[in-house]
């Protein structure tokens, strides 16, 4: 009986043709994470960013990117912790982390972060004004500086309104916001907010007109297909800022412009309670024949609130009830239309898009 031949040990060898796994550098890992973020692959990006922070826990770029991802995931506390660490590591450069952190803070802490961002953005704009103006990679330093001044003005109209010099500082910030970038619609909208607070309705109406003239015509043209491009790419204002603009437009009784802004918002997202409420409010406060047009918007606001309890606001809910009560019972034919219709034009449009995509 012969000896059993010992098994050859292959541990550590690699099959022919199979490449060894490449260990990415920190920079390569961050670039890969950026690519995943651009494709909205959030979980893959999160894993890569976690690996990057394992390689270097003090990498400010990794900290900022991770914080941005966490903000998208509504993990605010974790994002704040990372941004605070980034600020500790690099307190003299990088305005973005200060702007992001400021949005997670309140009162004086938030103002201090915005002030630091203003210092850094001012230095950037002064260092290369021509290059900054010509840059197509995101907002220019001038636009970001203007928006930072807007945020400071808003803070002094809200959290810091009880400070002795709040109004003076607010006026100064508004002036600097407009001066930094006269083409920034947010700057003129913030000016309108200040004028409303101080009781200057006519001045606020004029400021709102300057603001909407900078974005609404192009946005409406894109919505109607009369101009190339996605309406959301044409518009420089977030959903929340446009919603705030609509509130102010209603306050100054610019009904037509308010309805144009709100129609665009409802088309973009028909599940936001505030949008339907404001459409109803604009129609209701116009009075006359327009008032009856508030009813379907009030019903949509009530439906959206029932479907999304997290958006419910007791005061708004009560006001919706009061307006419906004042309007009285719906005419019989209108009630039948509401019962049978159910879905509105925005839902129908979305279904058409989905069908076109399926057939395409």
């Amino acid at each position: 009986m012969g000896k059993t031949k010992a098994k050859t040990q292959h541990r550590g060898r690699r099959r022919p043709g199979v490449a060894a796994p490449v260990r990415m550098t920190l920079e390569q890992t961050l670039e890969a994470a950026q690519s995943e973020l651009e494709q909205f692959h959030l979980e893959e990006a999160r894993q890569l960013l976690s690996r990057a922070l394992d390689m270097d826990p003090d990498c400010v770029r990794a900290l900022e990117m991770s914080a941005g991802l966490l903000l998208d995931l509504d993990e605010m506390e974790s994002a704040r912790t990372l941004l605070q660490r980034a600020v500790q590591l690099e307190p003299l450069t990088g305005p973005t982390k200060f702007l992001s952190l400021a949005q997670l803070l309140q009162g004086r802490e938030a103002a201090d972060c915005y002030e630091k961002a203003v210092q850094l953005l001012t230095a950037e704009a002064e260092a290369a004004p021509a290059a900054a103006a010509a840059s197509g990679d995101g907002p220019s330093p001038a636009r970001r500086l203007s928006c930072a001044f807007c945020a400071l003005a808003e803070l002094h109209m809200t959290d810091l309104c009880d400070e002795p010099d709040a109004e003076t500082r607010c006026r100064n910030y508004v002036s600097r916001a407009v001066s930094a970038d006269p083409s920034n619609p947010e700057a003129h909208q913030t000016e309108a907010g200040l004028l409303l607070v101080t009781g200057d309705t006519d001045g606020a109406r004029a400021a709102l007109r300057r603001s909407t003239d900078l974005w609404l015509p192009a946005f409406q043209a894109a919505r109607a297909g009369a101009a190339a491009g996605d309406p959301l790419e044409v518009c420089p204002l977030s959903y929340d800022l446009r919603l705030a603009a609509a509130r102010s437009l209603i306050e100054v009784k610019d009904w037509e412009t308010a309805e144009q802004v709100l129609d665009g918002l409802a088309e973009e997202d028909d599940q936001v309670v505030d949008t339907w409420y404001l459409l109803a409010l604009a129609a209701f406060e116009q009075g006359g024949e327009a008032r009856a047009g508030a009813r379907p918007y009030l019903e949509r606001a009530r439906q959206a609130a029932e479907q999304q309890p997290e958006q419910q606001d007791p005061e708004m809910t009560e006001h919706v009830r009061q307006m419906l009560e004042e309007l009285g019972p719906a005419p019989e034919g209108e009630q039948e239309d509401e019962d049978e219709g159910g879905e509105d034009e925005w839902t129908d449009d979305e279904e058409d898009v989905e069908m076109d995509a399926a057939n395409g």
Side-chain angles (χ1 to χ4, degrees):
M1 186 173 178
K3 292 182 179 179
T4 302
K5 185 181 291 185
K7 292 182 179 179
T8 306
Q9 297 295 317
H10 293 287
R11 189 175 299 156
R13 294 187 183 182
R14 189 170 301 281
R15 294 192 306 276
V18 178
V22 178
R23 182 176 178 81
M24 291 192 294
T25 65
L26 176 60
E27 187 63 28
Q28 289 170 333
T29 302
L30 292 174
E31 291 301 320
Q34 183 62 46
S35 177
E36 297 290 357
L37 287 171
E38 290 170 359
Q39 300 174 69
F40 300 101
H41 299 161
L42 301 187
E43 186 54 40
E44 291 83 351
R46 187 171 194 161
Q47 292 174 11
L48 287 163
L49 289 169
S50 177
R51 192 181 307 166
L53 287 173
D54 286 341
M55 294 181 194
D56 183 359
D58 291 340
C59 175
V60 172
R61 183 184 174 194
L63 289 166
E64 288 192 66
M65 289 177 66
S66 297
L69 173 58
L70 290 170
L71 288 174
D72 289 339
L73 297 172
D74 290 329
E75 297 183 26
M76 304 303 179
E77 288 299 322
S78 297
R80 183 170 65 178
T81 298
L82 294 181
L83 287 168
Q84 287 172 330
R85 177 61 180 158
V87 164
Q88 290 173 352
L89 291 166
E90 286 187 4
L92 302 178
T93 58
T96 300
K97 58 181 177 290
F98 288 97
L99 291 170
S100 298
L101 181 57
Q103 296 176 55
L104 300 174
L105 300 173
Q106 295 180 337
R108 178 47 53 191
E109 285 185 315
D112 289 343
C113 275
Y114 280 123
E115 289 284 9
K116 184 62 180 180
V118 161
Q119 294 176 17
L120 297 172
L121 287 167
T122 301
E124 283 186 9
E126 291 175 350
S135 174
D137 185 18
S140 68
R143 174 60 57 88
R144 297 172 74 200
L145 178 60
S146 177
C147 290
F149 283 129
C150 289
L152 281 162
E154 289 288 349
L155 272 174
H156 284 81
M157 284 189 272
T158 53
D159 292 11
L160 303 177
C161 65
D162 291 331
E163 291 195 350
D165 58 347
E167 184 176 340
T168 300
R169 292 172 71 87
C170 189
R171 290 184 183 280
N172 179 49
Y173 289 133
V174 166
S175 176
R176 294 172 74 182
V178 174
S179 177
D181 186 357
S183 67
N184 181 13
E186 185 181 352
H188 300 285
Q189 182 172 319
T190 304
E191 180 184 12
L194 173 61
L195 292 169
L196 282 172
V197 168
T198 57
D200 185 355
T201 304
D202 290 339
R205 186 182 298 109
L208 285 168
R209 176 60 61 186
R210 289 193 294 274
S211 176
T212 53
D213 282 349
L214 288 168
W215 68 272
L216 188 56
F219 180 77
Q220 293 289 79
R223 279 185 67 205
D230 185 329
L232 297 183
E233 293 178 357
V234 170
C235 179
L237 298 179
S238 68
Y239 196 103
D240 287 344
L241 280 172
R242 283 176 281 151
L243 203 59
R247 287 193 185 93
S248 296
L249 287 162
I250 291 171
E251 193 167 346
V252 301
K253 296 180 170 54
D254 187 345
W255 315 117
E256 181 180 358
T257 309
E259 288 172 356
Q260 289 176 356
V261 173
L262 289 164
D263 282 344
L265 291 170
E267 186 177 72
E268 181 180 336
D269 186 347
D270 65 358
Q271 296 302 308
V272 179
V273 177
D274 282 11
T275 301
W276 296 112
Y277 168 73
L278 290 175
L279 277 165
L281 187 64
F284 189 87
E285 292 198 351
Q286 284 182 69
E289 294 181 1
R291 175 168 285 198
R295 187 187 307 281
Y297 297 135
L298 289 167
E299 294 294 348
R300 283 306 305 267
R302 187 161 63 179
Q303 292 169 12
E306 289 172 354
Q307 294 167 2
Q308 298 173 98
E310 71 279 1
Q311 291 192 42
Q312 289 185 7
D313 177 271
E315 290 186 10
M316 186 188 301
T317 300
E318 176 60 18
H319 195 205
V320 167
R321 187 196 65 76
Q322 289 174 358
M323 286 190 282
L324 282 169
E325 185 176 282
E326 189 168 338
L327 288 172
E332 186 174 343
E334 184 179 328
Q335 182 63 50
E336 289 176 0
D337 290 342
E338 289 178 7
D339 292 341
E340 293 172 6
E343 301 297 330
D344 65 11
E345 60 183 295
W346 310 124
T347 304
D348 293 341
D349 288 344
E350 289 170 0
E351 289 174 354
D352 291 343
V353 170
E354 291 173 0
M355 290 176 64
D356 290 343
N359 294 331

